[in-house]
Each structure stands twice: as C-alpha cells, then as structure tokens.
Amino acid sequence: MSQQTINYEGIENQTVAEFTEKAYLDYAMYVILDRALPHIGDGLKPVQRRIIYAMSELGLKASAKHKKSARTVGDVLGKFHPHGDSACYEAMVLMAQSFSFRFPLVDGQGNWGSVDDPKSFAAMRYTEAKLSKFSQLLLEETAQGTVDWAPNFDGSLKEPITLPARVPHILLNGTSGIAVGMATDIPPHNLVEVINGCVALLEDKNLSNEALFDIIPGPDYPNHANIITPKPDLHRLYETGNGSLRQRSRYTLEDGVNVVIDALPFQVSGSKVLEQIASQMRAKKLPMVVDLRDESDHENPVRLVVELRSKRVDADAAMLHLFATTDLERSYRVNLNVIGLNGRPQVKNLKGILVEWLGYRIETVRRRLQFRLDKVMARLHILDALLIAFLNIDEVIAIIREEDKPKPVLMSRFGLSDTQAESVLELKLRHLAKLEEMKIKGEQDELAAERDKLTKILSSEARMKTLVKKELLADAEEFGDERRSPIVSLPAARAMSEKDLLPAESITVVLSQTGWVRAAKGNDVDGQALGYKSGDGFKAQASGQSRQMAVFLASTGRAYSLDAHSLPSARSHGEPLSGRLNLPAGASIDAVLLSSNTDKYVMTSSAGYGFMTAYENLYSKGKAGKAVISVPANAKILTPALVKEGDYLMVVTDEPKMLVFPASELPVLAKGKGSKLISMDKTTSVTAVFAFTPGQKVILHADSYKKAFGPTAIEEAFASRAKKGIVLPRTLKNVTAITLDS
C-alpha cells in the first residue's frame, strides 16, 4: 500500500524506498524501450530511427549530394534526440561502415574508420553523409499512411514511432545492446535467404523449423570468415533464440611456408591479432613461426602473413593452435531479444520473429493500400463534381456571377457535397477547355480501375499475401547478394601443449646406479663416459626425442613417466628421481625407456613370465606411477625389449639355456604377469630377454665373455613358447647384454 501523503503546503511525502524503486523502474523501462533494444518492425533502435528519418527530412536521399555529418547530427539532437552528440555520431558511423553493417544505411564520404580500427573515424565536422540506396526500403512508404506518429521531446514536431520496413531489417543488419536486466545480440543475415524464408512462411504458415533452417542455414556477417558452429547448434540457437556461434579466419598456404590470412572474424582487428601472435613469439611459445607481416592494402583489406619455420611444419596444426590462443577464432553470443508488436521486450525464436514481422508487413501494406484507396475515392468524388460542372458550365457560371454565396446554391442545385462545391469554385478558367472533359473522364476510368483493384486486394487475404510476396521477391532481386560467410564443418581449435611447442631434438636419457637422471643432446651419447658423483656410476640409458615421455621402471613393477624435455641437462650430475617420484621404501629404478607411443615392448621378469604392451600403456599420471608388471617374490624385472613386426624373442636363463620363438606368441596386455616364456625349474631364473630380426647375427655378453651366434646356430634354438630350449656353454651363465649385427 502506498505511503504517499500530502501535507498542508501541498507537498507530497513519499518514502525513499518507494521513490527509489519507482525512479529506477522508470529508468529501466526507458533504457529498454527507448535506448537499447530494437523494434521488430523496422529493426532499429530509437537513435538509429531518428538519424535515418532526420536525414530523409533534410533531403539526403541516395540520389542527393552528401552533406556535412555535423548538420545531420545537429538536426537529430535539436529535433528528436536530446542526448550527447558523440554517441549520436558513433551510431551514425556504425550504420555507414560496410564492415560493421551487412547492408549499410548511410553512405559516408571521408574517413569513416577501417576494419583494423573501427573507432578511427574522423570528427563529424570533417565527414559527409547521405542515405544509402538500401535505406529506401525503410523510408519509402513513410508518407503513405503506414506508420503511427508521436510528438517529439518538446511537442513541436511529429516523429514516426516505427518505420515501414519493406524487408525484415531486424535480422539483416542485426544489432547488440545492453539494457537494464536484459541485453540483445542479433547477428546479421543474408537478404535473399531471409526473404525466401518469409515467402515460404507466407505459402505455408505451418512450415516446420527444419524446413525453415534449410532456407536460412545461419547468420551471414559482412566479412568472409568461416562460421564453424555445427548445424545442430545453429538449429538449437534458432529454436530457442539463445546461444552462441563461432567464426574462424580463412587462410591459404603459399610457397609451403607462408600462411596467408585473408578474412578475420567479425569486428576483429588485424593489428591486435598480430600483436597476440608476436607476444607468443617473444615468449618463445611459437617455435614453428619465424616471421609476421601485415600486407593489407586497398586491394586486399585483410592480408596477414604468418611465415612458418619450414615446409615440414604442419600448417593446419599450427593454425589450430593460433585459433585457440588468439582472436583468429572468436565466439559470439546470440540473444534474439526484441521489442515486439505488443510493445514488450521478449526473446523470440527465428520463426517467431519472421511470423510476427510478416504480420507487421501485411498490416503496413494494408494501411498503404487503404491510404491510397481513400485518396482515389476522394479524387473520384471531386471528379464527379467537375464533370457535373462541365456538363452544366453555363448554369454554374451564372450562379457564381449572380449569387452572393454561390456554394450553398451549387450544393442544393446539383446535389454536391461541401468538398465538391469548393472544388468547383476553385476551378481555373483555363480548365474550361473542351478537352478537359475528356481528361476528366479518362482519369475517372483509370481511378475506377485502380479502386476496383485496391478493393479486391483489401478484401482478400490471399491477394494481400501474394502482393507482399511479390514485393519481397522484387526487393530481394534488387538488393540481394551472395552469402559472404560460408558455413563449414572444421576441426575444433586445439592449443598445443608445452611439449608440442618445443622443437623435436635428439636426446639420450642417462640413469645412474643411485637413481640420478639427466638428459644429453644427441643419440650418440655414451653414458659410461659421463662423470658421476663419488660412489655412483652408470646404470642405463635410452635414446629418443625431446617431445617423448621417458618411462622409468621400478623394481616393484611400477612404471613412472616424465616429460623428456623436463629432465635436467647432462652438463651437471642431474637430479635424483626420488625428488620427482614417490618410490616405495626399498624400491629402485632398474630401467629407463624413451620411445614413440605406438612402439611395442616385451615386459618380462626373471621368474620367466612376460607379455607385450604398447609404450603408451606405461605412461602414468602423477608421482605415484602405475602398476605394470607383477613381479613374483625373489624375482626382478628385466630390461624391456623393443619389438618390431616379425621379430623373434631370445630368452636366456642362468642354467644356462636359450630359447628362441616368434614374439607374436606372447599375449598383448596393458598390464599383468604375462605368459610363461621358457620351461625351467624353480631354482633357475631368466637373465635376459632380447628381440631380433631373423637372419641377424647375435652376440651374447656375459661379464667379459662374448659368444657369437650366426643364423644357423640360432635356428637350433627355434621352438615354441614355454619349451625348454637348448643348452649354452657355462661361460654364458650370466648374460647381461646383447649385440645385433646384420
């Protein structure tokens, strides 16, 4: 209940809370309805509508000469829009920028900004403007009784509440605005597609959303960048009126190393993109890029060149990284929030907007035809009186000459209305010629035919729709063009990891006996020749690439992985793995591997069991590692053997015995104990497992003793997995290494 009271002085008392609430609500409604949101009828905000109308009142049509922008802004502010001149001028500039509006409404002359810097336009005292040809679609029918008028801010003039748009401008140029508690973001669309959608809805009011989306597949920006939003997402956006879409720059590859970007997303600055890429280059996060160039000119408004390091660089992968980390790809919010014909803001879907606008257009055409019919009927009414006057010209002249008040006499004598009698009295003498009667009859016939045609259209809904459809198609033919923003399906942008961005270098990871690790550049490094701390020495090494993962196998059968590029340099003694890994008490690192994801290794234990697994199965997350191979009590893991397609395995025990069988006989597992390798008693253990290609010469190393086995000697050990194998000399009781020789 209101707490308003009036005191004895006639001053109204009101609580601060009540006054504040009402004042803010009034302000919010003003911003929503009169500032930020467009009307569905003409797709314009009030300031845009007032600029266009003021320019038409100044005679600045497309066929006129340009006039100083300051003159236009002055008229807008003085007559219709009492706000800041800079805000008004910026709204005018936006309507003149071909890179901001899909169909510019203002034809500007001078500096109106650039794609690279839309805000770089000259002051309004330097620029000139007139209306574009396209704006006639909004203004053409203004004086034909099609719109409602309202007083301007001081009541001295009238201004149109909306403009009689011949096309659904609300979708064509789009708009964005922030009100109180709500916002709008409508993307631009293609004129031909939108009109074809309107025509389809006129022909079938029950047209399905799917059929409408086939006609209007998506927005169409003023630029040529690709829209990469999947079709289901676009359909969902149009069904709900809310969502987002993505635009991605278009590029081509020249000379194998130059990536040429010739189209940027909507409202993206080329100089800002170059700065973003240069910033990454300075931070050494783009090793694949060596140079940037801006080759944009008058013929090529957008031409940014990214030079790659070499032809071996994957240009598509590099661009996917740049799309993810720069404005070369951008997301746009879509919120189809408009002021409807009921004067209320509402988020509408695509079909709802088109259906409501068609209702507005049909009513506008109806008012235009009725306005013309009223004019025709009024003219026929006058012509009837003129014809009577010509047929009785002598009598009419006599009445005018003799009577003091001829109008009532003419009205009573010939049955004329007040308007008809007035037109007879205003008839000029030169129109009394004989030919004038023929002209009147001819004009009567023409107007009668037009009257009948207008009456037929106004009395038939089908004829009205046909007329609207015909006019829409004619406007599409005159102003329509091809789609500029292709809708394409492309892979999602993906930023490269720190590892991917590093250059691929050959390295050797060296492990010491006490668990210290380091990485030396090159694959020809001899780990035994490196220096070690007192009491420490060489244990194992593995060669590969710096982008690969180094895997460390613990005596417990767990695998731990670290990025090879993160390992300390071999110029020092390295660092202990215990600082990076959580090793169980008493566990030690027994082997190190460095290989590609898809390479396969044989995982074995001295207990005589093993299996094959892909290298990537050895990767672990975190410091705790992952269990890979089950190690029975009193057994230990053996150095894994890299296996290629068609390789054989050589299993050597301390009995000593040797068995050779195809590696394919082992199961492929992600982890586990594996299958039996060789038949042996409980007191025997496997000392080594190696992989080799048939036909190779194999040299076994047992301490300082070596023994070579040629292809013929190896064939004697061929058998199936889990067989006993052949007996070796006692000197090979402790085989620890193998050399392969082709």
Side-chain angles (χ1 to χ4, degrees):
M1 183 175 177
S2 175
Q3 299 297 317
Q4 296 178 7
T5 58
I6 298 177
N7 64 16
Y8 63 91
E9 294 177 345
I11 299 174
E12 179 183 309
N13 291 328
Q14 198 173 9
T15 65
V16 173
E18 193 172 28
F19 173 80
T20 305
E21 181 181 351
K22 182 177 183 304
Y24 192 75
L25 184 60
D26 290 346
Y27 164 73
M29 292 304 296
Y30 167 73
V31 172
I32 291 169
L33 299 178
D34 289 333
R35 293 290 287 274
L37 300 190
H39 192 278
I40 194 170
D42 56 13
L44 296 172
K45 299 178 184 179
V47 65
Q48 295 172 327
R49 185 180 303 116
R50 287 163 177 167
I51 290 171
I52 292 173
Y53 179 67
M55 291 181 77
S56 71
E57 289 294 287
L58 279 170
L60 296 177
K61 296 181 180 178
S63 56
K65 291 182 179 180
H66 293 83
K67 248 179 198 174
K68 284 288 183 185
S69 302
R71 173 70 189 278
T72 299
V73 172
D75 261 39
V76 175
L77 301 186
K79 293 180 178 179
F80 308 112
H81 197 70
H83 298 282
D85 59 342
S86 60
C88 179
Y89 182 50
E90 283 191 26
M92 182 178 172
V93 168
L94 198 67
M95 292 191 288
Q97 292 176 337
S98 59
F99 49 86
S100 296
F101 263 43
R102 182 66 174 79
F103 301 93
L105 301 177
V106 175
D107 179 4
Q109 187 169 274
N111 177 12
W112 290 82
S114 64
V115 182
D116 199 46
D117 186 7
K119 297 283 188 180
S120 63
F121 52 85
M124 57 184 164
R125 61 183 176 275
Y126 300 120
T127 60
E128 297 178 342
K130 64 178 181 178
L131 290 170
S132 68
K133 190 178 179 184
F134 183 84
S135 64
Q136 75 185 48
L137 294 178
L138 302 176
L139 291 163
E140 197 172 37
E141 300 173 356
T142 306
Q144 299 177 26
T146 55
V147 296
D148 295 324
W149 299 78
N152 68 342
F153 63 90
D154 63 0
S156 60
L157 295 168
K158 296 281 188 180
E159 62 175 315
I161 296 176
T162 59
L163 296 179
R166 291 172 58 92
V167 291
H169 181 253
I170 185 72
L171 291 175
L172 298 182
N173 273 323
T175 190
S176 63
I178 300 174
V180 179
M182 62 180 65
T184 183
D185 289 281
I186 304 173
H189 289 75
N190 184 271
L191 175 63
V192 175
E193 293 174 356
V194 170
I195 285 184
N196 287 340
C198 290
V199 170
L201 284 169
L202 284 172
E203 293 174 347
D204 180 11
K205 64 180 180 181
N206 297 318
L207 186 74
S208 67
N209 281 330
E210 289 72 21
L212 183 60
F213 299 155
D214 287 340
I215 301 170
I216 308 176
D220 185 24
Y221 288 93
N223 53 27
H224 297 276
N226 296 317
I227 295 174
I228 62 168
T229 306
K231 286 188 176 180
D233 292 348
L234 287 174
H235 292 178
R236 196 177 309 113
L237 182 157
Y238 279 147
E239 285 175 353
T240 62
N242 263 310
S244 65
L245 54 88
R246 301 190 74 83
Q247 237 197 340
R248 177 181 291 180
S249 301
R250 188 179 64 184
Y251 70 92
T252 55
L253 190 63
E254 292 182 0
D255 303 326
V257 294
N258 290 332
V259 177
V260 179
I261 301 164
D262 60 2
L264 293 170
F266 184 53
Q267 293 179 334
V268 167
S269 164
S271 60
K272 182 180 179 183
V273 167
L274 289 178
E275 175 55 34
Q276 290 173 334
I277 299 175
S279 176
Q280 293 189 49
M281 291 175 67
R282 287 192 295 270
K284 300 189 182 303
K285 293 182 177 181
L286 283 180
M288 75 288 282
V289 177
V290 295
D291 192 22
L292 291 176
R293 294 191 301 276
D294 185 355
E295 298 181 357
S296 306
D297 54 26
H298 184 70
E299 292 183 4
N300 302 291
V302 177
R303 183 179 168 86
L304 309 180
V305 181
V306 179
E307 186 177 339
L308 303 177
R309 184 172 297 278
S310 70
K311 292 184 179 180
R312 294 191 302 274
V313 174
D314 187 341
D316 292 334
M319 290 306 295
L320 286 177
H321 173 76
L322 291 177
F323 290 146
T325 57
T326 70
D327 283 345
L328 286 174
E329 179 176 323
R330 199 163 181 183
S331 177
Y332 299 90
R333 187 180 64 173
V334 176
N335 182 19
L336 305 182
N337 189 8
V338 298
I339 298 174
L341 298 181
N342 59 1
R344 296 179 179 179
Q346 184 183 355
V347 176
K348 304 178 185 291
N349 60 23
L350 178 65
K351 185 176 179 180
I353 288 177
L354 291 179
V355 168
E356 190 165 341
W357 181 84
L358 283 171
Y360 174 81
R361 180 59 190 160
I362 289 172
E363 179 59 28
T364 300
V365 173
R366 187 186 308 280
R367 292 179 67 169
R368 186 189 80 204
L369 297 181
Q370 187 63 54
F371 181 80
R372 177 57 186 166
L373 180 60
D374 292 343
K375 291 279 187 182
V376 169
M377 297 300 290
R379 181 59 182 167
L380 284 172
H381 189 57
I382 298 297
L383 291 176
D384 288 342
L386 295 180
L387 194 57
I388 291 172
F390 274 101
L391 293 175
N392 304 277
I393 190 64
D394 294 334
E395 189 176 353
V396 169
I397 291 173
I399 292 173
I400 293 173
R401 289 182 64 184
E402 295 171 4
E403 297 292 337
D404 293 333
K405 294 183 178 180
K407 183 192 282 189
V409 178
L410 289 172
M411 292 171 65
S412 61
R413 170 65 185 85
F414 300 108
L416 302 178
S417 66
D418 185 273
T419 305
Q420 288 177 317
E422 191 66 35
S423 64
V424 170
L425 290 172
E426 290 179 356
L427 194 62
K428 295 182 180 179
L429 290 175
R430 63 181 174 185
H431 291 158
L432 299 179
K434 292 182 179 180
L435 292 175
E436 198 67 28
E437 182 181 344
M438 296 173 60
K439 287 182 181 179
I440 291 173
K441 289 184 177 180
E443 187 180 353
Q444 274 185 321
D445 293 341
E446 289 179 9
L447 292 177
E450 186 179 356
R451 176 197 60 202
D452 295 342
K453 180 181 177 182
L454 292 171
T455 304
K456 282 183 180 180
I457 295 174
L458 286 168
S459 61
S460 169
E461 184 179 351
R463 284 192 177 95
M464 180 69 74
K465 287 185 176 181
T466 301
L467 175 61
V468 171
K469 180 168 67 174
K470 183 179 177 182
E471 290 179 349
L472 284 172
L473 291 173
D475 292 334
E477 178 70 24
E478 183 176 357
F479 294 98
D481 57 9
E482 295 293 325
R483 167 173 279 275
R484 295 185 191 175
S485 302
I487 300 176
V488 294
S489 178
L490 293 172
R494 183 181 67 86
M496 293 183 181
S497 64
E498 182 184 357
K499 182 173 65 176
D500 293 335
L501 290 170
L502 290 171
E505 297 177 336
S506 298
I507 63 168
T508 299
V509 178
V510 180
L511 179 68
S512 77
Q513 293 174 359
T514 57
W516 284 58
V517 68
R518 49 186 152 169
K521 289 186 178 181
N523 286 343
D524 54 354
V525 177
D526 182 3
Q528 295 182 355
L530 298 177
Y532 294 89
K533 287 188 174 185
S534 177
D536 199 1
F538 172 79
K539 184 169 189 177
Q541 70 179 55
S543 298
Q545 298 290 327
S546 58
R547 288 186 180 179
Q548 295 172 339
M549 295 285 283
V551 171
F552 301 91
L553 291 175
S555 56
T556 57
R558 296 183 75 83
Y560 303 83
S561 58
L562 295 171
D563 288 320
H565 69 83
S566 69
L567 299 178
S569 169
R571 293 173 184 170
S572 65
H573 290 131
E575 63 180 69
L577 282 171
S578 57
R580 294 201 184 190
L581 309 175
N582 292 336
L583 294 173
S588 62
I589 298 296
D590 290 348
V592 59
L593 304 175
L594 193 60
S595 197
S596 299
N597 296 355
T598 55
D599 286 345
K600 289 187 177 179
Y601 279 84
V602 173
M603 307 297 296
T604 56
S605 69
S606 61
Y609 292 88
F611 59 91
M612 277 201 298
T613 190
Y615 185 66
E616 60 187 353
N617 289 333
L618 306 179
Y619 296 164
S620 64
K621 293 181 179 179
K623 295 182 176 183
K626 64 184 290 188
V628 174
I629 182 170
S630 299
V631 183
N634 301 320
K636 64 178 182 178
I637 65 167
L638 302 177
T639 303
L642 177 63
V643 182
K644 299 186 293 295
E645 190 72 27
D647 274 4
Y648 276 65
L649 292 181
M650 179 181 287
V651 182
V652 181
T653 70
D654 60 2
E655 195 170 351
K657 282 187 177 181
M658 178 176 71
L659 176 66
V660 178
F661 60 87
S664 57
E665 292 187 7
L666 273 182
V668 178
L669 304 173
K671 63 178 181 177
K673 180 181 179 182
S675 299
K676 195 172 187 179
L677 300 174
I678 187 171
S679 178
M680 60 184 188
D681 58 38
K682 293 183 179 179
T683 60
T684 305
S685 62
V686 175
T687 58
V689 176
F690 304 106
F692 68 96
T693 303
Q696 283 185 304
K697 180 181 178 181
V698 178
I699 302 173
L700 298 181
H701 299 253
D703 298 325
S704 61
Y705 180 76
K706 300 179 183 179
K707 182 172 179 59
F709 292 84
T712 304
I714 293 175
E715 285 182 8
E716 296 178 8
F718 278 9
S720 298
R721 180 183 61 80
K723 298 298 182 181
K724 289 185 177 181
I726 64 172
V727 178
L728 293 175
R730 296 296 297 174
T731 51
L732 294 175
K733 182 177 176 64
N734 187 27
V735 174
T736 56
I738 182 174
T739 304
L740 301 176
D741 191 356
S742 58

